[in-house]
Amino acid sequence: MQVNVGRQQDYVRRLSKRKRTLASYTCRPSITDIVVTNKTKEKMEIKGKVHCLFEQSGTFKKEFKKLGYDAEDYDIQDNFGETDHVVDLFSHIETAYAGGVQRYLTT
Amino acid sequence: MNSDDLVMAFFPCIYFCENNNLFFTGKHINLSGHTKDFVEREIIKRAEQRHYLYVLLVKLFNVCTNRGLRLIVENPYSTEHFLYNNFPYEPKVIDRDRRRRGDYYKKPTQFFYHNCEPTHGETYTTPKMLKRVTSATPGIRQGICSEERSLISPDYARNFICDFIIGKTQVHSQLQFEF
């Protein structure tokens, strides 16, 4: 049976155009914009505090507080005068790794 | 800190980003006009700095592994990023366009989740302003990231927390039309 390649190509072209038209009507963004693996429907329960480390942690700290969570931020600098704990996080991580007792990164 | 807490680290990425690859080839603009000896010494210095930060990041994960702490680490995302092929953990959330959730920059970002899992929500917000990374003011010196470039908008922070951490549906979430 001979296959009319030209008609097949027309059909595929029209099908692609139809899909593109439909896609433009949906409000769903492209599926490649966000990739989430191992996503879970269970909401994360944060019964304790949220500790935001390093630069730009202040923005997330404020939003966590607005959502009702107890949050603190830690950074070596205090450019905006809003950092809760001005500490050398690098040395704290080193000490915690070495098994030492530090105020922030230990239980 | 204990296992009821959450640690969210915006770990310094200055030595992991793709522009470091250009630095290590010796063709970065900061190295132009210098002697070969200077260039080689700067490369050695930067390699040591990157190694230090990389080891520190792995140590942070190790501390959280041993103590059962929940950790989320944020870093820029690209296939040229140092952590793409050199890290024992894979990111669980990759946001290729932060502007969709209200941030100023597109800035693809990856989030590593340790001892916890992400939720998935769809809260889309039009950003109040759009910026380009190339137009941001540069850092105060070499090795320091520009503050303007590091800015995260409060809208994005809130949307990210609700969509990918606590799984909260927000009132202004955009409806999805199904066909």
Side-chain angles (χ1 to χ4, degrees):
Chain A
M1 187 178 82
Q2 279 187 343
V3 176
N4 192 332
V5 176
R7 283 182 70 179
Q8 262 195 340
Q9 284 176 341
D10 281 339
Y11 173 75
V12 168
R13 219 177 291 128
R14 274 184 279 128
L15 189 63
S16 308
K17 189 179 172 187
R18 182 165 169 262
K19 277 184 182 174
R20 279 201 303 272
T21 310
L22 277 175
S24 64
Y25 280 105
T26 63
C27 295
R28 192 188 301 264
S30 168
I31 58 171
T32 58
D33 282 343
I34 195 89
V35 175
V36 184
T37 56
N38 292 354
K39 63 184 175 186
T40 175
K41 289 184 181 173
E42 294 176 9
K43 299 178 183 181
M44 189 188 297
E45 277 195 52
I46 307 173
K47 296 175 188 170
K49 274 187 190 174
V50 179
H51 306 272
C52 301
L53 314 183
F54 300 106
E55 196 182 21
Q56 298 303 316
S57 54
T59 308
F60 270 76
K61 175 194 79 173
K62 286 178 199 167
E63 294 305 319
F64 271 113
K65 281 188 167 176
K66 285 180 193 172
L67 290 164
Y69 293 95
D70 189 10
E72 292 176 350
D73 67 332
Y74 307 73
D75 196 6
I76 197 166
Q77 294 173 321
D78 189 15
N79 292 339
F80 300 102
E82 296 173 348
T83 307
D84 294 320
H85 304 280
V86 181
V87 293
D88 182 1
L89 284 164
F90 289 0
S91 66
H92 276 262
I93 294 170
E94 297 274 14
T95 308
Y97 175 75
V101 177
Q102 280 285 346
R103 190 175 154 196
Y104 305 117
L105 282 171
T106 57
T107 53
Chain B
M1 293 182 186
N2 54 53
S3 54
D4 287 336
D5 296 349
L6 173 68
V7 180
M8 190 151 185
F10 300 86
F11 200 84
C13 58
I14 190 73
Y15 297 116
F16 296 150
C17 291
E18 55 269 15
N19 58 357
N20 283 277
N21 296 346
L22 191 62
F23 195 96
F24 287 118
T25 61
K27 293 172 184 164
H28 198 278
I29 191 169
N30 290 353
L31 297 174
S32 61
H34 290 284
T35 60
K36 271 202 167 176
D37 176 58
F38 177 86
V39 168
E40 286 158 3
R41 286 177 190 279
E42 287 296 309
I43 289 173
I44 291 169
K45 208 191 298 181
R46 181 156 284 214
E48 286 168 351
Q49 285 163 337
R50 184 173 72 176
H51 175 74
Y52 172 71
L53 279 181
Y54 174 74
V55 167
L56 199 70
L57 179 62
V58 178
K59 284 180 178 176
L60 175 62
F61 272 78
N62 183 259
V63 167
C64 293
T65 301
N66 289 336
R67 299 176 197 217
L69 301 176
R70 291 181 291 189
L71 171 69
I72 299 175
V73 171
E74 176 265 2
N75 239 237
Y77 173 80
S78 79
T79 52
E80 300 293 326
H81 195 274
F82 184 69
L83 300 181
Y84 183 74
N85 276 327
N86 298 291
F87 201 54
Y89 299 96
E90 288 185 1
K92 291 193 179 165
V93 176
I94 299 172
D95 190 350
R96 292 200 165 98
D97 191 352
R98 288 174 18 175
R99 295 172 303 184
R100 291 198 175 273
R101 283 178 169 78
D103 199 22
Y104 309 126
Y105 297 99
K106 183 179 179 181
K107 215 173 170 195
T109 307
Q110 57 188 341
F111 296 87
F112 299 90
Y113 283 63
H114 192 52
N115 293 334
C116 55
E117 301 293 337
T119 53
H120 186 198
E122 292 177 338
T123 311
Y124 302 111
T125 304
T126 305
K128 293 185 172 66
M129 67 175 96
L130 288 174
K131 295 182 181 182
R132 288 192 178 273
V133 167
T134 48
S135 306
T137 52
I140 52 173
R141 64 173 186 273
Q142 177 189 346
I144 301 292
C145 191
S146 157
E147 199 172 289
E148 186 187 352
R149 189 173 164 170
S150 303
L151 268 181
I152 300 176
S153 78
D155 287 337
Y156 181 79
R158 185 191 65 247
N159 291 338
F160 182 86
I161 292 167
C162 291
D163 284 352
F164 299 110
I165 300 180
I166 61 176
K168 178 183 174 184
T169 306
Q170 298 190 81
V171 175
H172 62 273
S173 294
Q174 189 171 12
L175 294 174
Q176 299 299 314
F177 294 96
E178 300 281 346
F179 279 90

